[in-house]
Amino acid sequence: YLFYRTTFSKDYIRFNNATEQIQTNLQNELGSYISLLKSGRAFIESTNSFNRLKFKKYVDSLDLEKNYVGLVGIGFSKAVAPNEREKLIAQIKEEGISDFQIYPADDQEFDYPIIYIEPLNEQNRKVIGYDMFSEPVRRRALEQSRDFSTETATGKVVLIQEYEGTKQAGFLIYLAFYKEGNTRVTVEERRASLLGFIYCPFRASEF
């Protein structure tokens, strides 16, 4: 019995040390992605005439494949009022996405379509125009990020980018940004001044 207890104690200590190390590694990794989102928000807020080309150059400079393993890309979702939809569609088509549409169609007061994502490969191109408020799990995270001006992760989702037949669990982290920067105090002020979200999608197993 004493031998069993001694062995158990050693195993228990090793197990705790291993799990604490994993937790620390995950927290550090997530911290680097959150810093990435915050720097992206600062870039967007400080850029005049923000457009697809400027966003691409910014993301290219980050060397995502080398420095951020498991990250599918960096995207930008814009808050669009009903009277702004046609203007936005025309703008994105002029920037090279000739088949751009906001989907799925619904009767929301605002749309929140993804208008930019980099790298713009075949899989990421699928999400252009997708309104993330249309899906309940994504919407809960978006609303929390918007209302409390904080980075927020979704629960488990299947990314739009996934191939048919090879779908795996994924998640996204959102960060809202506002007119005139992050200076709003109340939830109502943040909702009224929301410009959009910068976000990162992840494949969980790769992360």
Side-chain angles (χ1 to χ4, degrees), residues 23-35:
Q23 287 179 326
T24 299
N25 290 345
L26 285 173
Q27 288 169 351
N28 290 340
E29 193 75 6
L30 285 171
S32 69
Y33 292 115
I34 290 168
S35 295

Side-chain angles (χ1 to χ4, degrees), residues 53-133:
L53 180 59
K54 291 179 180 179
F55 188 67
K56 173 177 169 50
K57 287 182 177 179
Y58 168 73
V59 176
D60 286 348
S61 71
L62 301 172
D63 200 358
L64 295 183
E65 187 174 346
K66 177 181 177 181
N67 297 319
Y68 298 93
V69 178
L71 181 66
V72 177
I74 301 177
F76 170 63
S77 171
K78 183 176 176 60
V80 183
N83 63 347
E84 299 172 330
R85 289 171 186 164
E86 294 306 316
K87 181 180 179 180
L88 175 70
I89 290 171
Q91 173 196 332
I92 302 303
K93 286 183 176 180
E94 287 179 3
E95 292 180 358
I97 308 298
S98 58
D99 57 349
F100 177 79
Q101 291 295 330
I102 298 173
Y103 74 97
D106 55 37
D107 297 323
Q108 292 181 150
E109 183 179 357
F110 274 79
D111 294 316
Y112 300 86
I114 300 165
I115 63 171
Y116 303 143
I117 187 167
E118 293 293 338
L120 191 60
N121 52 35
E122 180 183 356
Q123 292 305 305
N124 279 341
R125 191 181 176 94
K126 291 180 181 179
V127 309
I128 298 293
Y130 177 62
D131 184 352
M132 292 186 287
F133 254 60

Side-chain angles (χ1 to χ4, degrees), residues 165-199:
T166 60
K167 294 180 178 179
Q168 61 172 289
F171 66 99
L172 307 99
I173 302 177
Y174 298 115
L175 184 63
F177 61 98
Y178 310 87
K179 298 172 185 175
E180 300 176 4
N182 187 23
T183 60
R184 307 306 177 184
V185 176
T186 68
V187 169
E188 290 74 19
E189 287 176 334
R190 290 180 186 131
R191 290 179 179 180
S193 62
L194 180 71
L195 284 175
F197 301 88
I198 187 167
Y199 77 99

